[in-house]
Amino acid sequence: MTRPQRIAVLTSGGDAPGMNAAVRAVVRAGIAGGHQMLGVKHGYSGLISGNLTVLSARDVGGIVHLGGTLLGTSRCESMKAPEGQESALRHLRDQEISALVVIGGNGSQAGALALASAGVRVIGIASTIDNDLYGADVSLGTTTALDIALESIDRLRVTAAAHERAFLVEVMGRHCGYLAAAAAIAGGAEAVVVPEVATEPQEIESQLHAARLRGKSHAIVVVAEGAYHNADILLGYFQEHSQRIGYEMRASRLGHIQRGGAPGAFDRMLGSRLGVAAIEKLEAGAQGLLLGWCDGTVKSTALAEAAGRCRPLDLKMLELARTLAL
Ligand code: F6P
């Protein structure tokens, strides 16, 4: 793609820290390459309704350090239906868009694949706090969300220590336990519960009881929101059986607090590199790719291979958390 083009960029699905850095990089690298750049408002909803606007280099100024997304985002059910996709394709045609960059997670990349299959030149950028995207070791937004979870865990540990309590801390991650496992290791948790491994409340009970016997005055249990026994269920169990673990128990659900933080250095760099790489790929004539950070560099995976697949949790993370909880 050597001639100047009209290239659009959108952010879709859950906002992730670093999306703004990626939008800024896509727009500025595109303009530097002589292209006209457009932003789609509110993800696929904006594409379906034709809500696109031309972006200048100045329009994306002052956002590299901000969480959320300047463009807005949405979870767009209509994009899963043929009518929604038809409408998106029509607006792309009518507005003479020659390529589209989609910044988002699994659902967003499934939409990108649908458009690519219909002939649109699409490049995806792996972005989700869940870190469940196939084709990325670390998705955009994951490390900042993890830092936010850790800040909360550190604070909860202060109160846990003061009261000699145990805390269940529920973190996001949808069906993936990466955030929970990483937060457990880096937060020094006594136990961790993830969706990938069936864990009965009695197992957590015996781990906490053993921790008490080893002289631990307080405890942190990190629970992934997607675990079969989530924090609410575990709290109910432990309220009934508090005498068995030796700690009074409280639960804290971090929820969306993990998503809205200002991106850390890694996510600002990652968004910047992936955004520039997206334009480079388009200029080299590539399309239908998901860009993710793998083995210390930007890696391309065919959308057809990546969309709909999940990155498996490295179960060694759980062993490590267990060993270090000694
Ligand atoms: O995919 C990111 C994520 O934050 C998940 O961890 C969580 O399950 C989900 O989005 C929450 O979605 P929503 O913001 O639509 O409630």
Side-chain angles (χ1 to χ4, degrees):
M1 192 173 76
T2 45
R3 287 185 300 117
Q5 307 282 326
R6 271 163 70 83
I7 303 174
V9 55
L10 64 80
T11 49
S12 162
D15 60 302
M19 277 183 162
N20 276 326
V23 169
R24 170 179 176 268
V26 168
V27 170
R28 290 191 174 173
I31 291 170
H35 309 292
Q36 186 171 42
M37 301 304 297
L38 294 94
V40 183
K41 302 295 281 182
H42 303 296
Y44 288 117
S45 304
L47 200 55
I48 288 172
S49 62
N51 191 356
L52 285 80
T53 177
V54 172
L55 292 174
S56 70
R58 294 287 72 71
D59 290 332
V60 292
I63 63 168
V64 72
H65 61 299
L66 299 179
T69 159
L70 166 87
L71 295 175
T73 185
S74 62
R75 299 210 185 270
C76 179
E77 283 302 309
S78 328
M79 189 59 195
K80 295 178 185 159
E83 303 76 38
Q85 292 171 14
E86 281 302 322
S87 178
L89 288 166
R90 194 175 56 252
H91 286 296
L92 286 169
R93 257 192 323 267
D94 290 353
Q95 302 218 24
E96 297 179 340
I97 305 296
S98 37
L100 177 69
V101 178
V102 173
I103 304 169
N106 261 325
S108 312
Q109 302 309 337
L113 176 61
L115 294 175
S117 309
V120 180
R121 297 165 50 77
V122 186
I123 297 288
I125 289 181
S127 175
T128 167
I129 68 160
D130 300 338
N131 207 26
D132 60 349
L133 272 168
Y134 185 85
D137 290 344
V138 195
S139 288
L140 184 61
T142 300
T143 59
T144 302
L146 184 55
D147 278 336
I148 296 167
L150 287 173
E151 192 187 323
S152 302
I153 288 170
D154 293 348
R155 290 178 185 207
L156 290 169
R157 187 178 284 287
V158 170
T159 295
H163 288 263
E164 302 209 343
R165 282 179 184 158
F167 268 87
L168 297 164
V169 188
E170 189 175 282
V171 299
M172 278 190 159
R174 205 178 286 273
H175 307 300
C176 173
Y178 178 87
L179 273 185
I185 294 167
E190 277 57 46
V192 56
V193 185
V194 295
E196 290 84 351
V197 177
T199 309
E200 292 303 316
Q202 289 81 356
E203 287 176 62
I204 302 301
E205 176 187 298
S206 63
Q207 285 176 36
L208 291 182
H209 184 61
R212 191 56 153 165
L213 293 180
R214 291 198 304 276
K216 292 202 172 196
S217 66
H218 61 280
I220 298 286
V221 182
V222 181
V223 185
E225 64 173 354
Y228 182 71
H229 293 105
N230 64 19
D232 281 348
I233 296 172
L234 289 173
L235 183 65
Y237 176 86
F238 287 120
Q239 276 170 344
E240 266 184 47
H241 305 289
S242 57
Q243 71 293 351
R244 294 202 203 158
I245 52 169
Y247 300 105
E248 199 186 333
M249 178 77 86
R250 294 284 190 276
S252 193
R253 195 165 168 238
L254 301 187
H256 291 83
I257 282 174
Q258 290 154 98
R259 277 221 318 245
F266 182 81
D267 280 323
R268 295 185 201 192
M269 289 290 293
L270 184 57
S272 303
R273 290 197 61 173
L274 292 172
V276 170
I279 296 297
E280 284 171 358
K281 288 287 172 196
L282 287 171
E283 288 185 330
Q287 56 183 315
L289 298 177
L290 176 69
L291 304 185
W293 191 250
C294 280
D295 298 327
T297 191
V298 177
K299 183 185 158 196
S300 316
T301 308
L303 274 171
E305 187 190 344
R309 278 174 85 176
C310 281
R311 176 179 178 274
L313 177 69
D314 177 1
L315 297 179
K316 289 204 182 102
M317 292 177 81
L318 303 178
E319 275 172 44
L320 183 60
R322 187 87 189 249
T323 303
L324 297 178
L326 189 63

